[in-house]
Amino acid sequence: MIGFIGLGIMGSRMAENLLKSSHEIVVYNRTKEKAEDLLKKGANWAASPKEVAARSTVIFTMLAVPKAVEEVALGEEGFLGSLREGSLWVECSTVDPAFTRRMAAEAEKRQIRFLEAPVSGSRIPAEKAELVFLVGGKEEDMEEVRPLLQTMGKDVLYQGETGKGTSMKIVINLMLAQSMAAFAEALNLGEALGLQKETVMETLLNGPTAAPMLKGKKTKILSGEYSADFPLRLMQKDLQLVSQAAYEHSLSMPSANLTKELYALAKQQGLGELDFSAIYQFLKPTK
Ligand code: NAP
């Protein structure tokens, strides 16, 4: 049986794709209500992460922040101590490379194999099984779970030893966060100068300067309806991970840290649960 822990925006859709491909799964989520839909569709429920471990030999985790991963793996009801030797833990959450290496070491102490497989792609790619997995760890472990990863994604990209998958993931999200913030400021400047929002948007999106990802945010920005594909609070978390990793490598990242605080301010003002594209709304002058 396959274990799946963490049924938020991403995990619920990834687990559903495993189910759709006729895999038997056992799931756990801190808030049980979020599992109800999957349970109706045939998933098995475990009352704790520990119970997931007792019933599976491969476990996926898809959790918000490093602390959540640590609690679920090593806490009182954690799964790591209850997995059978030789089982495989596939960690898909976005965390930082040092944390990933620490979890891999904890797994190794207990003769559990560890693979990191954070994902590129948001709510809709998760739903359509079009995620891109950025894998770090042993290649043979990746090959073993490749069929499962391909059930949830379109690409499985090997990045190197443990820590490299997470490294690539935070590099990508640094670009995402900054592209979105730059786009939001450019739109707001255009409007302040008297240009039509739609005109500025179309011109930027069809020129060479805007990141392709921004096209996907057009509807949200034009409608002002920011239901979360990727919650702003998680983008701020990812910038915190970037900042931490840069510190550990004595790298100065002034613009990344400024952007981190921009998202932190937006979160502080109550925008954390909205999509991160709401940074446009946050920067919009009040009339
Ligand atoms: P989400 O909807 O906020 O779900 C987070 C999950 O973590 C939920 O299952 C939540 O449980 C659980 N959790 C949080 N704190 C916990 C704790 N202390 N103990 C136990 N469980 C805890 O987030 P998501 O969008 O699915 O993202 C999951 C991960 O994927 C994050 O690391 C995110 O950065 C990354 N990611 C997200 C996207 C995206 O577009 N959304 C894209 C790529 C990567 P509850 O249900 O009980 O709150």
Side-chain angles (χ1 to χ4, degrees):
M1 189 128 69
I2 300 160
F4 206 108
I5 301 179
L7 303 172
I9 296 173
M10 300 297 281
S12 58
R13 289 165 174 86
M14 293 163 73
E16 183 160 354
N17 283 325
L18 287 172
L19 256 188
K20 278 186 192 157
S21 321
S22 309
H23 292 289
E24 205 184 344
I25 63 171
V26 53
V27 299
Y28 169 79
N29 194 61
R30 181 180 61 176
T31 311
K32 190 182 175 189
E33 294 80 73
K34 290 193 194 162
E36 296 299 350
D37 187 45
L38 278 173
L39 300 184
K40 278 187 206 133
K41 290 174 176 157
N44 300 283
W45 174 251
S48 65
K50 209 172 177 168
E51 197 185 313
V52 177
R55 295 163 68 184
S56 45
T57 47
V58 177
I59 282 199
F60 287 89
T61 45
M62 190 50 164
L63 297 149
V65 293
K67 187 169 159 280
V69 177
E70 187 159 7
E71 263 175 48
V72 159
L74 296 167
E76 222 168 281
E77 290 293 301
F79 65 82
L80 209 46
S82 300
L83 269 174
R84 265 156 282 171
E85 277 185 19
S87 298
L88 182 56
W89 171 16
V90 186
E91 219 298 90
C92 298
S93 328
T94 305
V95 294
D96 60 283
F99 177 82
T100 298
R101 285 192 287 271
R102 186 155 70 78
M103 288 302 107
E106 291 289 346
E108 198 180 351
K109 268 191 227 163
R110 297 163 176 84
Q111 274 85 50
I112 305 300
R113 293 177 292 145
F114 178 91
L115 196 68
E116 60 177 329
V119 304
S120 182
S122 194
R123 182 178 63 85
I124 293 168
E127 209 158 285
K128 294 184 172 169
E130 288 175 355
L131 293 171
V132 175
F133 288 93
L134 305 161
V135 183
K138 292 207 173 101
E139 269 187 284
E140 63 261 34
D141 291 337
M142 176 181 74
E143 291 311 327
E144 188 178 314
V145 289
R146 185 186 282 278
L148 296 179
L149 299 178
Q150 282 173 336
T151 295
M152 300 180 278
K154 61 174 181 178
D155 281 319
V156 178
L157 305 179
Y158 185 64
Q159 306 296 316
E161 79 270 14
T162 303
K164 291 289 197 312
T166 308
S167 298
M168 184 57 83
K169 175 61 195 167
I170 63 173
V171 165
I172 293 172
N173 275 26
L174 169 64
M175 284 293 291
L176 273 183
Q178 293 200 300
S179 304
M180 190 66 244
F183 188 56
E185 284 190 353
L187 281 178
N188 275 315
L189 175 65
E191 285 178 68
L193 296 176
L195 298 167
Q196 286 293 319
K197 177 158 80 175
E198 289 77 1
T199 312
V200 185
M201 188 173 269
E202 285 309 319
T203 310
L204 287 176
L205 290 178
N206 292 303
T209 52
M213 158 296 282
L214 295 168
K215 280 195 174 153
K217 300 299 180 189
K218 184 174 150 182
T219 313
K220 288 189 193 300
I221 294 174
L222 287 179
S223 67
E225 196 279 305
Y226 292 101
S227 59
D229 290 337
F230 183 29
L232 189 145
R233 66 179 152 82
L234 291 180
M235 184 54 99
Q236 189 245 334
K237 175 261 303 185
D238 288 354
L239 289 167
Q240 177 62 37
L241 302 176
V242 163
S243 179
Q244 177 65 25
Y247 168 76
E248 285 162 7
H249 289 82
S250 303
L251 186 64
S252 170
M253 300 194 72
S255 138
N257 280 291
L258 206 62
T259 311
K260 167 170 76 74
E261 290 308 307
L262 169 64
Y263 284 96
L265 263 180
K267 185 173 120 181
Q268 193 172 292
Q269 297 292 317
L271 276 66
E273 294 303 326
L274 300 182
D275 191 75
F276 78 105
S277 53
I279 204 68
Y280 162 78
Q281 200 60 43
F282 179 68
L283 289 167
K284 205 172 171 54
T286 43
K287 295 219 170 82

